[in-house]
Structures are given as structure tokens and as C-alpha cells.
Amino acid sequence: MRRRQLRHAPVAVLLLAVISAGGAVGACARYGASLVWPTMPGTFPWTTWAVNTAGCAAIGVLMVLITDVRTVHPLVRPFLGTGVLGGFTTFSTYALDAQRLVDGGRTGLALAYLVLSVLAALGAVWAAAAAMRWFVARTRRVAGRRA
Amino acid sequence: MRRRQLRHAPVAVLLLAVISAGGAVGACARYGASLVWPTMPGTFPWTTWAVNTAGCAAIGVLMVLITDVRTVHPLVRPFLGTGVLGGFTTFSTYALDAQRLVDGGRTGLALAYLVLSVLAALGAVWAAAAAMRWFVARTRRVAGRRA
């Protein structure tokens, strides 16, 4: 047992390092977006909305890459999925944005933001995954014809 | 202009370092939660739900600390808010979880998960902020009586 733990330790350390690096990149990218497109109080939080929608589209692409394309390195998913995209997208800022809109008397806008975020996220995952599946199938057909 | 950029550069580097460290901690903590409480396919994604709810409660506490208690260090918000909690909570896994439930024919469960996540997040921000405000006010009353 001890020998097995020792053998697996570097893998766990590598995995945590990869997730840490991804989380750092994702959080900094989200912060960068909030600097470039700051949200004025009482207005629709477009930046968090766009960050979450883009992150959901990216995870749709990633999941198809991982499930349909077998040559993806095993550290790609923890780095990009758990790290970068998990760190880039946020639920805490989403809830806080909505809470602030309600506190400022903009309950209708808060509701629109809550619903539109979920709809855009689901639509983004679905559309990106479908587009990626089409692209992978097309690339394979072209490669099959050439072979 | 150049001199001002040079003077501000270490602050920006420190800020990015703090957000990176926070994002790394948050992403690793979320990954740890998914290892300790793995979600079986086709079941309610309790782990992501709990991670997002806990992260929203924590941001409710943090916002009251930052706005009501003035002695909080200026790097606390970027580290804990943007970094740790932004990296810990996730919208991409939330959307992917729901998409997978729909793909597996569990549309009702997906809808319940989508709605319950938003309701729990808002409730957590609100309740945690209210509890923290009460605690801060009580601590000040006690301190005032002693002074």
C-alpha cells in the first residue's frame, strides 16, 4: 500500500499542479475581462454573462474532443476543464450580481440576468458540442477519403 | 506616463499573483470535493450544487466584511473573491451537468438541478450576508458598551 502510494504520489502532484495552473489562468482571464469591460452598478452584468457563456461553449468543445478524439493527453481535461474553464466561469459572482440588482430595486433585470445566464450557458454547451461533433465527423470523412 | 506605469507595475503583478494563487486554491478545492463526493451519472449533481452554494454563502460573508469592516486588507477581495471563490464555484460544470442529465433522458432532474442551484445560490448569498451583518452589528454594540 505504501509502495503504491509512493508510486502514485507524483501523478497526484502533477494533477494538482496542472489544475492549479489552469485555475490561475482562468481566474486571471476572468479578472482581465472585468477590467476591460467593467459593469456599471444597476446595469445588466454583461461581462459575467459573456464569461460564463464563453466558458460553457468551450467546455462543450472540450467534452467532444475528450470523448470523440482519443489522442487527447490525459492532463488536458484537468487543466482545461477543471482548471481553466472551472476557474474562468463563476457562480459566486453570478449570484452576487443578481443579489446587488435586487438590492438596488432592479428585480426584473436580476430575474432576466438569472434566466438568460442559464439559457445561454445551456445553449452554448449544446451548440458548441454539436458544432464540434460535426467538425470531427467531417474531418474523419475527409481523412477517410484521402486514405 | 512611463514613470507611472513603472511605479504601478509591481501592484499589478502582485494583484495577478494573488488572483492566480486564489484561483489555484479554489480550483483544487473544487477538484478535491469531486474526488471525495463523486457524482454518479444520471443522479442529482450534489457536489457541484454544494460547491456553488457554499461559494455563494462565502461571497455573501466576504462582501459584508469588505463593505462594513474597513480594516480588511485591499488584497483580500481579489484573493478570496475573484480568486478562491471565483475559482471554486463554476458555471461550466453546472451547465455540463445539466446537459448530461438531458442527454441521459433525465430532463426533469436537469430542470430541478438548474432551478435549485440558482435558488440555493441566491438564498446562500442573502442569508450569509444578513447573518454577517447581524454579527458585525452585535460585535460593535458589545465593543461600544465596553469602551
Side-chain angles (χ1 to χ4, degrees):
Chain A
M1 184 66 191
R2 217 183 144 196
R3 210 178 271 174
R4 193 192 287 174
Q5 275 176 345
L6 283 176
R7 211 194 300 150
H8 285 293
V11 178
V13 169
L14 186 65
L15 202 59
L16 284 181
V18 154
I19 292 169
S20 295
V25 169
C28 285
R30 178 165 32 79
Y31 175 68
S34 77
L35 283 187
V36 177
W37 303 287
T39 297
M40 295 301 116
T43 63
F44 192 94
W46 284 113
T47 308
T48 309
W49 181 88
V51 159
N52 281 340
T53 305
C56 288
I59 211 150
V61 169
L62 183 67
M63 284 306 114
V64 174
L65 271 181
I66 288 165
T67 51
D68 291 17
V69 184
R70 287 196 183 174
T71 48
V72 172
H73 192 277
L75 286 176
V76 167
R77 187 182 176 163
F79 175 66
L80 286 179
T82 313
V84 177
L85 298 179
F88 184 56
T89 63
T90 172
F91 216 90
S92 51
T93 309
Y94 166 68
L96 191 68
D97 286 343
Q99 182 68 38
R100 278 178 173 160
L101 284 172
V102 171
D103 285 347
R106 309 223 53 187
T107 311
L109 197 65
L111 266 175
Y113 173 58
L114 289 170
V115 173
L116 282 179
S117 291
V118 173
L119 289 181
L122 291 179
V125 170
W126 180 84
M132 196 61 202
R133 260 187 224 112
W134 174 84
F135 180 75
V136 168
R138 189 177 169 274
T139 310
R140 279 184 183 156
R141 269 203 307 276
V142 171
R145 255 182 250 145
R146 276 185 195 156
Chain B
M1 184 62 191
R2 217 181 145 197
R3 210 179 271 173
R4 192 193 288 174
Q5 277 178 341
L6 284 176
R7 211 194 300 150
H8 284 294
V11 177
V13 170
L14 187 64
L15 203 58
L16 284 182
V18 154
I19 292 169
S20 294
V25 168
C28 285
R30 177 164 33 79
Y31 175 68
S34 76
L35 283 188
V36 177
W37 302 286
T39 297
M40 295 302 116
T43 63
F44 192 94
W46 283 114
T47 308
T48 310
W49 181 89
V51 159
N52 281 340
T53 305
C56 288
I59 211 150
V61 168
L62 183 66
M63 284 306 114
V64 174
L65 271 180
I66 287 166
T67 51
D68 292 16
V69 183
R70 287 196 185 176
T71 48
V72 172
H73 192 278
L75 286 177
V76 166
R77 186 181 177 164
F79 176 67
L80 286 180
T82 312
V84 178
L85 298 179
F88 184 57
T89 63
T90 172
F91 217 91
S92 51
T93 309
Y94 166 67
L96 191 68
D97 286 342
Q99 182 69 38
R100 278 177 174 161
L101 285 173
V102 171
D103 285 347
R106 308 224 52 187
T107 312
L109 197 65
L111 266 174
Y113 172 59
L114 289 170
V115 173
L116 282 179
S117 290
V118 173
L119 289 181
L122 291 178
V125 170
W126 180 84
M132 196 61 203
R133 262 187 222 108
W134 174 85
F135 180 75
V136 168
R138 190 177 168 275
T139 310
R140 278 185 183 154
R141 271 202 308 274
V142 171
R145 254 180 250 147
R146 276 187 195 155

